[in-house]
Amino acid sequence: MTSSAEHTPERPDGATAPDVHAGPARRGRVRARRAAVMAVPATLAAAGLAVLTAEGALGVQFAISGMPFTVTATELNGTGFAQFGGLDEMAEGSPNAGDTGGQVLVVTSVIKNATLNKLCQSVDLGGTNLVIRAGEGAQKVSASDLTTDSTELTGDAAFTNIEIGNDASTLNKAGPKGRGPKGVFSQQSDTVHIANLRQTNYATTAGVFKLPGLKLGFSGSGC
């Protein structure tokens, strides 16, 4: 039997041409990651969340720490809502990368104007939790251009004039910050109401974030 090496093509200079069928290991990892990213949307759609993602869609423009934090609120009300998927990137060599390659698949939610009742945010620092609370009195927490990158979101939600299946690049109800990459499945609505909100987030940004009655401290338990 003739070995495959005997059929390896040579370049005119006599060097062996690269095998076009044997890409670097990274190519296999990228293909596997792409397959995983494309598999997640079907699961989300089946659950009624209707948020899909595409490789290369970044929810935030800074390197995330890779440490998830919890956000809860008894009630969230917003006008101008958009939602699509993305990949957040950790700083190169982050000790939190594990076997993720420094990337986290997230659902990006954008609200043009939002109010939250009894906001709680906590991050587990290993043995203790840093906890932030606000909006527990008469005044509510308020934010403009509120953007959250989440891996989990639960609550009782209601939307008005919702559109599901948009190309994320055409979204217009949450303003410019609520527009995602071309070719990404998304949804948007005029308003959003979520009772008993609970999120696992990797990033949050806002144009303006007002936290009346802010309390920050350490606790043995999180939100």
Side-chain angles (χ1 to χ4, degrees):
M1 180 179 294
T2 304
S3 68
S4 59
E6 295 175 0
H7 296 285
T8 302
E10 293 186 351
R11 298 203 304 258
D13 58 4
T16 301
D19 183 358
V20 297
H21 299 292
R26 175 172 172 77
R27 183 181 302 170
R29 291 196 298 270
V30 170
R31 286 176 176 171
R33 185 176 298 130
R34 180 178 294 122
V37 168
M38 295 309 294
V40 169
T43 303
L44 294 179
L49 296 181
V51 283
L52 302 186
T53 189
E55 186 175 7
L58 299 180
V60 292
Q61 299 302 313
F62 56 82
I64 63 171
S65 70
M67 297 177 65
F69 55 95
T70 299
V71 174
T72 65
T74 57
E75 186 176 53
L76 177 149
N77 288 285
T79 57
F81 172 77
Q83 197 171 61
F84 48 90
L87 285 172
D88 282 352
E89 301 273 354
M90 300 179 204
E92 185 175 355
S94 171
N96 299 319
D99 59 359
T100 67
Q103 296 180 323
V104 179
L105 182 64
V106 295
V107 175
T108 297
S109 302
V110 184
I111 304 176
K112 185 62 178 175
N113 293 288
T115 60
L116 301 98
N117 292 20
K118 297 184 178 180
L119 174 70
C120 180
Q121 176 179 301
S122 65
V123 57
D124 186 350
L125 301 177
T128 188
N129 295 270
L130 176 62
V131 180
I132 296 174
R133 298 182 186 276
E136 296 184 327
Q139 289 184 292
K140 301 177 181 180
V141 171
S142 62
S144 63
D145 294 325
L146 177 64
T147 303
T148 58
D149 285 2
S150 312
T151 54
E152 186 174 355
L153 186 156
T154 62
D156 302 310
F159 307 89
T160 59
N161 296 325
I162 191 168
E163 300 172 2
I164 300 173
N166 312 61
D167 186 295
S169 67
T170 68
L171 298 178
N172 56 16
K173 294 191 175 186
K177 293 184 180 297
R179 197 170 296 132
K182 184 176 293 186
V184 176
F185 191 104
S186 66
Q187 68 176 8
Q188 66 175 356
S189 65
D190 288 345
T191 68
V192 57
H193 168 84
I194 304 177
N196 303 314
L197 171 69
R198 187 175 188 86
Q199 292 177 300
T200 299
N201 292 347
Y202 276 86
T204 296
T205 63
V208 176
F209 207 4
K210 296 182 179 180
L211 301 166
L214 174 65
K215 300 175 183 177
L216 183 152
F218 294 97
S219 173
S221 58
C223 300

